[in-house]
Amino acid sequence: MAYDYDNDNIFAKILRGEIPNRTVLDTGHALAFEDISPRAPVHVLVIPKGPYVCFDHFQSAATNEEIVGFFETVRGVCEKLNLSPGEGGKGYRMIANTGRDGVQEVPHFHVHILAGRPIGPMVMAV
Ligand code: 5GP
């Protein structure tokens, strides 16, 4: 499997501090920040700090520590924003757009966390 990571993608610049962001949570292995163009009252992006293009790349090349650290950060965001259904929150949708057909715009692996209202149907019917 070959993945060509673009060091100049927008999230790489955010990680290097070259572009500002509204940080929600910063942990050893991941950064969570508000999406610049929110599609819901809560719209947070969570990205690993390592150079991974998409989920498949991340899962196959990252260390177990990075993978666990990333998902702990996702959970940390849900906890901080009181979204977890098991803890009285109203829930959320987690999305990982991947590759061309997944309509991934930024080639650095990320998940979207959308919440704050019922998010609606999973995808539009065609
Ligand atoms: P994708 O389509 O790749 O899954 O989503 C990329 C997301 O990154 C979009 O929701 C877009 O609004 C967000 N985004 C693009 N540029 C920036 C930026 O400079 N700052 C922040 N915070 N979000 C961005």
Side-chain angles (χ1 to χ4, degrees), residues 27-51:
T27 66
H29 290 299
L31 178 68
F33 54 96
E34 292 177 7
D35 195 293
I36 203 168
S37 180
R39 269 74 152 194
V42 173
H43 189 168
V44 175
L45 301 169
V46 186
I47 65 174
K49 291 192 175 175

Side-chain angles (χ1 to χ4, degrees), residues 10-11 33-37 39 97 103 105-106 110 112:
I10 205 98
F11 293 170
F33 54 96
E34 292 177 7
D35 195 293
I36 203 168
S37 180
R39 269 74 152 194
N97 297 322
V103 196
E105 291 168 20
V106 180
H110 53 281
H112 299 250

